[in-house]
Amino acid sequence: MTKKKENIFDFVLFKRLFQYIKPYKGVFIGLFVLVILLALLSAVMPRLTKEAIDLGISLGDSETFLVYVVIMFGVLMFQTIFQLSFIYYAAWLGQNLVKDVRIKLFNHLLQFKMKYYDNSSVGVLITRAVTDMERIADIFGQGLFMIFRDILTMVVVFGFMLNSNWRLSLIVFIMLPILLYATRLFQKYMKVAFEEVRTEVSNLNSFVQERITGMKILQLFTREKVEHENFKTINERHKKGWLKTVWYNSFFFPIADLASSVTIGLVAWYGGLNVIVGTVTQGTLVEFIMYIPMLFRPLRQIADKFNTLQMGMVAANRVFKVLDTTSQIDDTGTMVAEHFKGNLKFDDVHFSYVENEEVLKGISFSVNAGDTVAIVGATGAGKSTIINLLNRFYEIKDGAILVDNIDIREVTLASLRTQIAVVLQDVFLFADTILSNITLNHPEITEAEVQQAAKDIGIHEFIMSLPNGYHYNVKERGVMLSSGQRQLISFLRAYVTNPSILVLDEATSSVDSYSEQLIQNATDKITKGRTSIVIAHRLATVKKADKIIVMDAGIIVEQGTHDELLKKKDGYYKNLYEVQFLQEEVVV
């Protein structure tokens, strides 16, 4: 099988990246003007040195020599100013371009289905949004313009050398193809090496992120040694990837230095002989000795900067793969739901997370506006899946979900989710204040409204007992609060949005008795007068429900009130009640 030829530089990818430069076209053009000026000024300096020697020192004309010194100083000052401007604005362009790409990427990630995140590594996505973005910035700050400047410098120097002495130029150009070939090989192998490095960086980031997040589990199950060994393995692969790039660098750059030194030696030997016989001036010999590093060093720098450019292109390719991923829920609805009455209906709904493995197998039930429905069943019965589908985190396979007799697919996603508030068992809090975690920085929800809502559901005193009250920073994932306290914050977060439909997903399954009482009071308050779906865990919630839906293995096996279901001989709910709920009632 013939291996597809590997392109050293992906022009299609670069053309796509180039589209983000359009808002900064003026700066981009200005940078190219600076590149041209820097190349010209760099090549002019050896020529001025030649004239200063030949017309000043050799002829003993101090006045002429002084004039050339002043000119050289002026050129040097302009060169310094242009260089400073070039470095700053090249980096400025790269950072602004990356800012735009990063915003687009993050907005794209916000629209993905939950299924995408189910199958993706958080560490890899963080690498795409942070580390890879910096590599893209380097394309312009340290790659593209630097390469163009070096190439242009070489072309200008090439012209000046030919103009000065073609015989000495020939000696230099004999060595040049050797270095050009070595540079091409170097670039080819470095691209492959950097692909491997980026892969290993992503793997390492993902591994470390997951282990730090799950550190409590690792320590509880004494997995420190095992994970230490796993980390050593992945870190070793990371090291080998980088060492491959180091090996290529350590091989190429000494060759480049050797070629430059040999060339200078040959020019000094041949030019020195010609100076003696009078066919070459001393100034010309010095000029060529100055030009050789200016011709060879850019070639070496091009190889070095090409590494940076390739790393940036590899990173850009990875970022664009995420941007090209189509994993969004189809938001084709045109109806904006300002408020639902709350009539809810699941009509023969089928769904599977994995193809051909149905989780819901034709679920049908209805909820009247203002009623509270409890859903009970064993783990894996499909209870939480119903909540995910109601919010359209996933798309159903068959059937329909209707609110007020309207298919939820006809409603815009934003307005649908605004009317549905969910309180999860595993509450997620951001590293921010309690107030920000409640409002999620919604501009229309004031602190006064939050405090009043907290008083309404009976948790104002609890919040005020914390340092700084509503401005208490709960740190990452709310670690400064207990699970019960986090749950209370989640209830308040749901309540302040004044939803039409409320969902409680086992919201009281793992809290202390004091928090449970507060939560029960809060539940009674926020469910009053609005449609509520409760993934039931506590007996009190089940008994108060207007309807209980009993699920098993993706189907509804029973429906009815608490009393109705208890009357069914050998009923699923009755058995569940006697095994689980009745024991709980006795304990209480």
Side-chain angles (χ1 to χ4, degrees):
M1 184 176 177
T2 305
K3 188 177 178 180
K4 186 179 178 180
K5 185 178 179 180
E6 184 74 29
N7 292 324
I8 292 178
F9 188 79
D10 191 335
F11 286 98
V12 174
L13 179 62
F14 185 78
K15 182 179 179 181
R16 182 176 179 184
L17 189 63
F18 198 79
Q19 299 300 312
Y20 290 90
I21 294 178
K22 288 183 178 179
Y24 313 104
K25 187 166 61 176
V27 175
F28 184 79
I29 294 172
L31 283 168
F32 272 103
V33 172
L34 286 173
V35 164
I36 294 170
L37 291 173
L38 285 170
L40 290 172
L41 291 177
S42 296
V44 162
M45 288 297 285
R47 178 57 56 88
L48 291 173
T49 303
K50 168 187 178 299
E51 300 299 336
I53 294 174
D54 289 344
L55 301 179
I57 297 175
S58 298
L59 300 178
D61 188 344
S62 60
E63 185 175 340
T64 300
F65 176 72
L66 184 60
V67 169
Y68 276 104
V69 169
V70 171
I71 294 173
M72 291 169 65
F73 180 77
V75 170
L76 182 62
M77 292 302 297
F78 277 109
Q79 191 175 8
T80 302
I81 293 171
F82 293 158
Q83 182 77 355
L84 288 173
S85 301
F86 170 74
I87 293 172
Y88 175 79
Y89 282 105
W92 183 92
L93 179 64
Q95 289 300 323
N96 276 276
L97 180 144
V98 160
K99 176 202 68 176
D100 295 342
V101 178
R102 186 183 282 124
I103 289 172
K104 184 174 182 179
L105 175 66
F106 187 73
N107 184 59
H108 196 63
L109 291 173
L110 288 174
Q111 311 305 320
F112 278 156
K113 301 176 185 177
M114 288 301 106
K115 185 176 181 180
Y116 178 84
Y117 294 104
D118 293 341
N119 300 322
S120 301
S121 165
V122 175
V124 169
L125 292 178
I126 291 174
T127 300
R128 298 292 172 269
V130 181
T131 308
D132 284 343
M133 287 296 177
E134 291 305 317
R135 300 289 77 79
I136 294 174
D138 290 342
I139 290 177
F140 299 94
Q142 301 179 30
L144 175 68
F145 291 110
M146 298 290 188
I147 291 174
F148 185 72
R149 183 194 65 182
D150 289 339
I151 291 175
L152 190 57
T153 299
M154 290 176 64
V155 171
V156 174
V157 167
F158 179 86
F160 272 75
M161 292 175 77
L162 282 176
N163 175 261
S164 181
N165 189 298
W166 69 268
R167 290 184 177 84
L168 291 178
S169 299
L170 185 61
I171 296 175
V172 177
F173 299 151
I174 288 174
M175 297 295 298
L176 205 55
I178 299 173
L179 195 54
L180 284 170
Y181 179 73
T183 301
R184 181 172 175 81
L185 285 179
F186 175 70
Q187 293 167 349
K188 178 181 178 181
Y189 286 109
M190 283 300 286
K191 182 177 181 181
V192 176
F194 280 131
E195 288 273 8
E196 183 179 336
V197 166
R198 297 311 307 152
T199 299
E200 294 305 330
V201 168
S202 295
N203 292 338
L204 186 62
N205 285 348
S206 178
F207 183 91
V208 172
Q209 187 272 335
E210 289 181 351
R211 270 57 184 183
I212 290 177
T213 303
M215 188 60 68
K216 183 182 291 185
I217 298 299
L218 297 183
Q219 293 183 356
L220 279 173
F221 289 89
T222 62
R223 304 294 293 173
E224 294 92 338
K225 289 185 178 179
V226 173
E227 293 303 328
H228 178 253
E229 292 302 318
N230 290 339
F231 180 78
K232 285 171 64 177
T233 300
I234 196 169
N235 199 37
E236 179 67 20
R237 294 203 304 268
H238 178 265
K239 181 201 72 174
K240 287 181 178 178
W242 274 110
L243 283 180
K244 190 175 291 186
T245 68
V246 172
W247 164 248
Y248 293 145
N249 277 304
S250 63
F251 188 75
F252 172 75
F253 290 116
I255 291 177
D257 289 338
L258 178 63
S260 178
S261 299
V262 169
T263 304
I264 290 175
L266 290 174
V267 167
W269 168 73
Y270 181 77
L273 292 177
N274 281 271
V275 168
I276 293 173
V277 298
T279 57
V280 173
T281 66
Q282 294 179 7
T284 301
L285 180 58
V286 172
E287 178 189 19
F288 265 78
I289 292 175
M290 292 178 68
Y291 273 141
I292 290 171
M294 293 178 65
L295 189 66
F296 280 67
R297 190 186 305 116
L299 192 59
R300 169 178 170 164
Q301 289 175 344
I302 288 172
D304 193 23
K305 298 305 179 184
F306 207 90
N307 295 344
T308 301
L309 184 61
Q310 286 184 327
M311 287 187 72
M313 296 300 286
V314 169
N317 186 48
R318 293 175 184 272
V319 169
F320 283 135
K321 280 183 179 179
V322 179
L323 285 171
D324 290 338
T325 301
T326 53
S327 184
Q328 291 83 8
I329 294 290
D330 293 330
D331 190 8
T332 55
T334 57
M335 185 177 298
V336 178
E338 295 182 359
H339 184 75
F340 289 133
K341 292 179 180 178
N343 293 299
L344 180 63
K345 182 179 181 180
F346 274 62
D347 185 12
D348 193 28
V349 173
H350 292 257
F351 174 75
S352 58
Y353 292 103
V354 180
E355 193 173 352
N356 299 323
E357 295 182 18
E358 281 197 334
V359 177
L360 298 184
K361 305 168 184 177
I363 295 294
S364 295
F365 67 89
S366 60
V367 183
N368 294 325
D371 282 357
T372 296
V373 174
I375 304 177
V376 300
T379 300
K383 305 186 298 295
S384 295
T385 299
I386 289 176
I387 310 307
N388 289 331
L389 297 181
L390 179 60
N391 282 279
R392 291 196 70 196
F393 289 140
Y394 301 86
E395 292 282 27
I396 61 176
K397 180 180 179 183
D398 292 303
I401 302 173
L402 304 130
V403 179
D404 295 346
N405 294 318
I406 301 170
D407 193 312
I408 60 173
R409 287 170 290 197
E410 297 178 11
V411 181
T412 62
L413 271 177
S415 64
L416 172 69
R417 292 172 180 172
T418 298
Q419 293 301 315
I420 303 173
V422 181
V423 179
L424 299 172
Q425 177 184 355
D426 182 19
V427 179
F428 187 94
L429 297 181
F430 295 94
D432 207 333
T433 64
I434 288 179
L435 180 64
S436 294
N437 271 288
I438 293 168
T439 66
L440 297 177
N441 297 312
H442 195 297
E444 296 181 6
I445 302 177
T446 66
E447 183 173 352
E449 291 174 335
V450 172
Q451 292 190 19
Q452 184 58 52
K455 292 174 182 177
D456 291 344
I457 64 176
I459 66 172
H460 176 71
E461 292 183 4
F462 142 65
I463 296 176
M464 293 305 295
S465 68
L466 298 170
N468 298 321
Y470 288 86
H471 298 279
Y472 178 62
N473 194 310
V474 299
K475 305 301 181 183
E476 187 174 0
R477 300 184 68 88
V479 295
M480 302 305 291
L481 301 177
S482 68
S483 59
Q485 290 172 330
R486 291 196 294 271
Q487 202 67 258
L488 290 169
I489 299 301
S490 182
F491 266 81
L492 185 54
R493 176 194 286 169
Y495 183 62
V496 296
T497 62
N498 191 28
S500 302
I501 299 172
L502 178 69
V503 177
L504 306 179
D505 188 358
E506 301 198 24
T508 61
S509 62
S510 58
V511 299
D512 57 83
S513 58
Y514 172 73
S515 296
E516 181 185 354
Q517 184 60 49
L518 290 176
I519 289 173
Q520 287 296 341
N521 295 337
T523 302
D524 294 340
K525 178 68 178 179
I526 67 177
T527 58
K528 187 176 180 179
R530 60 168 53 92
T531 304
S532 303
I533 300 176
V534 182
I535 305 297
H537 184 83
R538 300 291 188 180
L539 175 62
T541 307
V542 177
K543 294 176 72 173
K544 291 179 181 179
D546 297 297
K547 180 192 289 187
I548 299 171
I549 297 174
V550 186
M551 295 188 65
D552 182 44
I555 61 173
I556 295 176
V557 294
E558 293 174 350
Q559 294 188 59
T561 64
H562 174 72
D563 293 334
E564 290 171 349
L565 293 175
L566 283 182
K567 292 177 182 178
K568 291 187 176 183
K569 186 177 180 181
D570 294 326
Y572 190 99
Y573 177 80
K574 183 179 180 181
N575 292 332
L576 182 66
Y577 173 79
E578 291 175 348
V579 172
Q580 178 180 349
F581 292 149
L582 192 59
Q583 291 179 359
E584 180 185 330
E585 192 173 34
V586 170
V587 171
V588 175

